Amino acid sequence: LHGARKLHDFQQFAGSYELLAFIEGYLYAKSHGYKNEDISFYSDDESVVYAGIWGDANNFGQKDRYKKVMSKVKHICNFYYPQIKDLPDEIAECFAQSRFNKVKGHAKCIYNLRVDFLAKFSRDQILGKETFLEGFDQWIKKGFMKFTENAESVRWFPYFC
């Protein structure tokens, strides 16, 4: 995580948490020298995944949706990152140039589970709880445990679910 952010005004940013997480991810990748075309994002939020498609010059039917997303992006950038004046423009470029992968929320996709783990970690940090951030390799090595709902079905869940 680039950095956990405490939402100061819940109503002001309601529905924008995925965008805030995306911006944090973008800043992290940028600070480590990655170019937009080298970055892949996984999200279960349509506004993050499809913003680049909606903003495409040939996609006239979705311009209003793109404007709404970019309005939220500008609002978040102005509130949390006022020192980075060109950040909304950088985010627009990132939407256009990076790869976005839509995953079904709560579907046990390993990347979505990792994001949920990181979100819980950030929440605990903000709340002042003692936390330890496991790297992806250690996290995945712990493996999955077998969970049996009944005698007929067996599902595998990560240990932290």
Side-chain angles (χ1 to χ4, degrees):
L1 290 177
H2 186 68
R5 298 284 173 185
K6 188 170 185 177
L7 296 178
H8 299 285
D9 184 345
F10 177 77
Q11 293 294 57
Q12 184 178 9
F13 293 103
S16 300
Y17 307 118
E18 292 277 345
L19 282 171
L20 179 58
F22 159 70
I23 292 168
E24 287 286 323
Y26 165 77
L27 290 171
Y28 176 86
K30 179 183 171 187
S31 73
H32 284 78
Y34 290 97
K35 297 177 183 174
N36 287 341
E37 55 271 12
D38 296 330
I39 307 171
S40 291
F41 292 96
Y42 290 80
S43 180
D44 58 4
D45 186 272
E46 285 187 0
S47 62
V48 171
V49 175
Y50 300 126
I53 296 169
W54 297 339
D56 186 276
N58 298 317
N59 193 355
F60 300 111
Q62 301 296 331
K63 288 295 180 194
D64 288 340
R65 291 177 95 172
Y66 180 71
K67 287 178 184 176
K68 286 180 185 176
V69 171
M70 288 310 298
S71 175
K72 287 183 180 182
V73 165
K74 288 175 185 171
H75 191 65
I76 291 168
C77 290
N78 289 336
F79 189 83
Y80 286 111
Y81 316 98
Q83 71 282 9
I84 310 174
K85 300 297 180 200
D86 295 332
L87 187 56
D89 296 331
E90 290 180 35
I91 295 299
E93 286 178 20
C94 185
F95 277 139
Q97 298 169 355
S98 297
R99 289 180 303 278
F100 291 86
N101 303 280
K102 175 81 166 86
V103 295
K104 184 177 178 187
H106 311 289
K108 306 302 177 210
C109 165
I110 195 67
Y111 297 112
N112 200 330
L113 290 170
R114 179 62 175 174
V115 168
D116 290 344
F117 171 81
L118 293 171
K120 290 174 189 172
F121 171 80
S122 295
R123 180 199 61 212
D124 289 347
Q125 268 190 328
I126 289 169
L127 295 174
K129 295 182 180 178
E130 191 171 322
T131 60
F132 173 73
L133 179 60
E134 283 184 306
F136 185 83
D137 291 337
Q138 295 99 359
W139 174 80
I140 200 72
K141 280 180 186 175
K142 285 189 174 178
F144 294 79
M145 68 177 201
K146 192 174 184 180
F147 174 76
T148 307
E149 289 184 23
N150 58 45
E152 297 177 15
S153 65
V154 175
R155 292 170 39 191
W156 290 87
F157 288 102
Y159 74 95
F160 49 82
C161 285

